[in-house]
Amino acid sequence: MDIYTIIFLALAVFIFLRLRSVLGQRTGNERPPFDRNALQGAQDKNVVTMPGKVIDQAPLAPAAEPTPPSDRWKGLTEPGTVLAQGLDAIVEKDSTFDPRHFISGARGAYEMIVLAFANGDRRALRDLLSSEVYESFDAAIKEREKNEQKTETRFVSIDKAELVGAELRDRTAQLTIRFVSQMISATRDKAGNIVDGSADTVADITDIWTFARDITSRDPNWKLVGTGSAN
């Protein structure tokens, strides 16, 4: 090997070492190339929609054309009826009123009140009844307690909750619903003997209840102000 070959080899090694020190070498821990699309996708997946702060209020629906008067209470009553006029009067004073939403809530209240009365749960009844109706229910509970009787009631089904009346009296809206249900109810004395009803017979019950609410009040709750039965 002559002197020129040695010089060229040394120069090649020197150049290789310089390039390595400047460019570095792959170790397996390098960061991947920057991918803007991947970053944007990750950001989109981590976007969290903050909940609204309006209490007990459904989100506003997109703007739509006004409902024609003939279809306003479709499925509830026919245009021009006394019921339709009563609903119109309530909505005119309270634009947030939704009778369909009310009926749904009334079904739950009906079952809750019947069971609370059977169990003698005065605390639950006080929040759901007007003072006059509460006094009536409380008197019946006291009579049971005096006679050392207990009532057992179980719902089999609520087959219908139908709006049959609507009225606005000054600031008070009143809505009347006919409930058609099936339930089993029996009242037992101290010894456990049945003195009223039946423990295994399903009875068809039709109740007509009226609920009321001051539409100018901040309290959104309706209270039971009148009861009747078609049985």
Side-chain angles (χ1 to χ4, degrees):
M1 183 179 296
D2 59 19
I3 187 63
Y4 295 105
T5 302
I6 294 173
I7 292 173
F8 281 121
L9 286 174
L11 183 60
V13 171
F14 174 79
I15 293 174
F16 171 78
L17 292 175
R18 292 290 295 173
L19 288 174
R20 183 176 181 180
S21 65
V22 173
L23 300 177
Q25 56 182 333
R26 301 188 67 84
T27 64
N29 296 319
E30 297 81 0
R31 293 182 180 181
F34 178 76
D35 187 340
R36 182 175 297 277
N37 293 330
L39 176 61
Q40 184 63 44
Q43 290 172 338
D44 291 343
K45 292 178 181 178
N46 287 290
V47 171
V48 179
T49 302
M50 297 301 293
K53 295 184 179 181
V54 179
I55 299 175
D56 197 24
Q57 177 71 32
L60 294 176
E65 295 182 2
T67 303
S70 59
D71 296 334
R72 192 175 196 180
W73 309 124
K74 188 174 183 179
L76 296 176
T77 187
E78 296 297 323
T81 62
V82 174
L83 176 56
Q85 292 171 3
L87 292 174
D88 287 338
I90 295 173
V91 170
E92 184 178 352
K93 297 296 184 180
D94 181 7
S95 60
T96 65
F97 171 67
D98 180 352
R100 295 171 181 83
H101 179 71
F102 168 82
I103 293 173
S104 177
R107 288 175 66 101
Y110 173 65
E111 183 172 359
M112 188 180 302
I113 291 171
V114 169
L115 295 179
F117 173 69
N119 296 328
D121 187 349
R122 291 180 172 87
R123 183 175 181 179
L125 292 173
R126 193 180 295 277
D127 293 334
L128 298 167
L129 313 180
S130 68
S131 57
E132 293 82 3
V133 175
Y134 176 81
E135 289 176 3
S136 176
F137 277 43
D138 182 54
I141 293 172
K142 286 179 178 177
E143 185 67 20
R144 279 204 317 250
E145 293 172 341
K146 177 183 177 181
N147 297 324
E148 299 185 275
Q149 297 174 346
K150 290 187 177 181
T151 299
E152 303 166 353
T153 299
R154 178 166 60 88
F155 273 91
V156 176
S157 65
I158 299 178
D159 301 320
K160 183 181 292 185
E162 179 185 13
L163 189 63
V164 296
E167 184 180 5
L168 181 64
R169 295 183 178 179
D170 295 327
R171 302 180 305 177
T172 302
Q174 291 192 354
L175 296 172
T176 301
I177 292 188
R178 178 167 57 231
F179 297 99
V180 179
S181 64
Q182 292 185 328
M183 65 179 75
I184 299 172
S185 184
T187 300
R188 299 179 184 271
D189 61 17
K190 184 178 180 181
N193 300 312
I194 295 177
V195 296
D196 187 36
S198 172
D200 51 20
T201 300
V202 178
D204 295 321
I205 306 295
T206 300
D207 285 313
I208 300 174
W209 286 11
T210 299
F211 297 84
R213 173 181 175 267
D214 183 346
I215 59 175
T216 64
S217 171
R218 290 180 177 272
D219 184 356
N221 297 315
W222 294 74
K223 290 194 174 185
L224 180 63
V225 298
T227 62
S229 176
N231 296 91

